[in-house]
């Protein structure tokens, strides 16, 4: 199983001279498994160059699955420009959560309405199958097992676990601390008296979900200091990613969803802060913490 | 006083950041026209977020002209700091019906697509203006004319005393009445900002897509007798190296034209 990082910027694409190392495209990852069509997670601007590369390499179209964490712009905005969608042989299955108002298909269709994108959605319709997903599902994509979990972020956001051949990858983005900070639409029904219990169930479920993962990509939009007072923005810090990894015996943590204002140096500060934290509690050898550049691969 | 033009977004269609496009930039459309400390912004692609990164003060009265509603001219709005500043007023102008502009904002700021609760819930004040003819905005005289694009789209002329800047993106400059009217209207401007998305061989496959070739933009500039031509709406993948090459070829081909491919953050003056 190979994990490829195509884009890991949060909120909006950006690229200044001080951001070249970690790149400026918004969220997209690829998971390649021998003998299978690719599985992508999210469709931020990171899929644009990938799409162009695919159409240069083959003319038969692309067969692939997309797992969408949630439909915030930074995670879906490149679909109308994904080159394989303009090839007749292409067949994509786009799977992900609905929003409070709309089903997943309508959310994609809306981008093309009202003269917002000069490409009629009709062209894509026969090349895309949509499937709505909810938390705590388990299903197969070809030979891989896929599991979903609820994350703490505005709307409905899903974490994914992709398993194959005894290896596993978890994608946990976008995601915020749960303590007194209930952002998800499904948490609206929580009663005040139950908060502590509900939070515990939520977090324990998440720990079980990422248990023993070989690789966990985790939202680390903020630094340990930077998140203070901004917990309700829906994002995490490196320390939170490390805590989860330690509780769940995750082997490797990939930091991501870097803030648009993060320079390369800021990302390196996050890596150092995560490693220093591990050292301070005597767990340096328990979890490996890395940040990747666009195009970097990790073979499991 | 001269008019200054600064691009914060130079790309068309989509932003695809990469280290080979650092100088010209990767962000979608946004241009700022300045005279001293007065300014107007044209279009709100991801470049408007980058402009906001350069803004020392996000409090005030801001003026944003929208050419049309394609996402590459809208998608940066949430990253324009003043929209979140409780003491800012953001004025949006277009020749379209106010309701149409609001409807686009309704989709963009829908909670489905971000941590939003509609544009009405933002901290700043939004004012929508429908343009019907020449108008004074922040001390500039602004006028407009339709362009030749896949959906309705307008060019803007910003004048200040003796200088004028024409912004014409997105526009496919074919020999039709729309383009002839545009040329007459833009005649003699000091700076012409013009869509130049394609090279000739690319255009062959993109006729009718609503964008111009470099040559079409240069021909228009020549007919308009623009004193300076700034080419923009670069194709998303076109590298710094390729834009440098194209610029020097065009300079040889059109010796009478003062032209450049627009780079981000550089100030071009009339
Ligand atoms: Zn995000
Ligand atoms: Zn999000
Ligand atoms: Zn455009
Ligand atoms: Zn357009």
């Amino acid at each position: 199983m190979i994990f490829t990082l195509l884009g890991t910027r949060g909120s909006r694409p950006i690229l200044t001279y001080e951001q070249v190392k970690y790149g400026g495209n918004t969220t997209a990852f690829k998971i390649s498994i021998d003998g299978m069509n690719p599985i992508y997670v999210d469709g931020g601007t990171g899929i644009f160059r990938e799409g162009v590369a695919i159409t240069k390499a083959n003319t038969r179209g692309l067969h692939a699955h997309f797992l969408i964490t949630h439909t915030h712009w930074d995670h879906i905005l490149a679909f109308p420009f994904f080159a394989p969608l303009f090839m007749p042989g292409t067949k994509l299955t786009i799977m992900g959560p609905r929003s409070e108002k709309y089903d997943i298909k309508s959310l994609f269709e809306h981008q093309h309405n009202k003269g917002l994108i000069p490409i009629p959605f009709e062209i894509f319709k026969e090349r895309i199958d949509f499937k709505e997903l909810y938390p705590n599902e388990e299903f197969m994509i070809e030979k891989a097992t896929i599991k979903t979990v609820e994350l703490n972020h505005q709307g409905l956001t899903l974490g994914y676990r992709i398993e194959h051949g005894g290896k596993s990858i978890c994608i946990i983005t976008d995601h915020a601390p749960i303590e007194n900070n209930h952002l998800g639409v499904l948490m609206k029904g929580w009663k005040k008296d139950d908060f502590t219990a509900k939070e515990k169930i939520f977090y324990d479920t998440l720990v079980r979900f990422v248990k023993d993962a070989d690789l966990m990509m985790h939202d680390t939009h903020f630094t340990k200091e930077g998140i203070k007072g901004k917990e309700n923005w829906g994002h995490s810090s490196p320390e939170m990613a490390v805590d989860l990894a330690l509780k769940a015996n995750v082997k490797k943590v990939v930091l991501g969803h870097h803030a648009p204002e993060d320079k390369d140096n800021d990302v390196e500060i996050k890596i150092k802060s995560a490693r220093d934290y591990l050292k301070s509690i005597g767990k340096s050898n328990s979890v490996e913490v890395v940040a990747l550049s666009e195009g970097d691969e990790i073979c499991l | 006083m001269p008019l200054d033009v600064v691009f914060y977004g130079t790309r068309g269609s989509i932003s695809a950041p990469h280290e080979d496009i650092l100088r010209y930039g990767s962000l979608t459309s946004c241009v700022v026209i300045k005279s001293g400390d007065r300014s107007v912004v044209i279009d709100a692609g991801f470049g408007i977020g980058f402009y906001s990164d350069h803004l020392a003060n996000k409090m005030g009265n801001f003026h944003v002209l929208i050419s049309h509603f394609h996402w590459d001219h809208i998608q940066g709005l949430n990253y324009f700091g003043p929209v979140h500043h409780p003491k800012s007023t953001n004025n949006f102008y277009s020749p379209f019906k106010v309701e149409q502009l609001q409807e686009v904002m309704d989709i963009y700021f829908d909670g489905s697509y971000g941590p939003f609760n509609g544009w009405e819930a933002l901290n700043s004040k939004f004012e929508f203006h429908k343009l019907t003819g020449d108008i004074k905005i922040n001390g500039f005289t602004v006028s407009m004319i339709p362009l030749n694009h896949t959906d309705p789209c307008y060019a803007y002329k910003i004048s200040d005393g003796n200088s004028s800047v024409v912004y014409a993106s997105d526009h496919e400059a074919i020999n039709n009445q729309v383009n002839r009217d545009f040329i007459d209207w833009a005649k003699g401007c000091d700076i012409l900002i013009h869509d130049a998305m394609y090279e000739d061989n690319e255009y062959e496959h993109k006729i009718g897509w609503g964008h111009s070739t470099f040559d079409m933009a240069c021909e228009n500039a020549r007919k308009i007798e623009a004193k300076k031509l700034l080419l923009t709406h670069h194709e998303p993948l076109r590298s710094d190296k390729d834009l440098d090459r194209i610029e020097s070829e065009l300079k040889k081909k059109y010796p009478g034209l003062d032209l450049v491919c627009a780079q981000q953050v550089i100030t071009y003056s009339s």
Side-chain angles (χ1 to χ4, degrees), chain A residues 9-27:
Chain A
R9 202 49 75 167
S11 308
R12 59 178 160 124
I14 181 95
L15 198 66
T16 60
Y17 288 91
E18 299 80 34
Q19 297 173 311
V20 170
K21 182 167 179 195
Y22 294 105
N25 282 292
T26 65
T27 311

Side-chain angles (χ1 to χ4, degrees), chain B residues 65-140:
Chain B
L65 303 168
I66 304 289
S67 66
H68 66 311
F69 300 137
H70 285 163
W71 280 131
D72 51 333
H73 300 254
I74 298 284
Q75 65 196 164
L77 261 184
N78 179 52
Y79 310 104
F80 186 48
V83 309
H84 299 289
H85 198 293
K87 291 199 173 124
S88 285
T89 301
N90 295 285
N91 293 281
F92 297 101
Y93 306 86
S94 85
F96 301 98
K97 278 199 212 111
V98 163
E99 294 75 27
Q100 220 177 325
L101 191 48
Q102 285 173 340
E103 205 175 357
V104 171
M105 302 257 181
D106 284 342
I107 297 177
Y108 180 80
F109 284 110
D110 189 285
S112 306
Y113 295 115
F116 313 131
N117 214 344
W119 58 267
E120 296 98 327
L122 294 167
N123 284 331
S124 70
K125 206 169 144 199
F126 276 28
E127 300 269 14
F128 299 97
H129 308 267
K130 178 183 166 29
L131 302 174
T132 49
D134 291 12
I135 182 177
K136 271 260 191 256
I137 297 174
N138 206 15
F140 301 97

Side-chain angles (χ1 to χ4, degrees), chain A residues 221-232:
Chain A
H221 192 95
F222 291 120
T223 60
K224 187 182 172 183
E225 293 305 314
I227 195 170
K228 286 182 184 155
K230 293 182 178 168
E231 291 84 356
N232 64 351

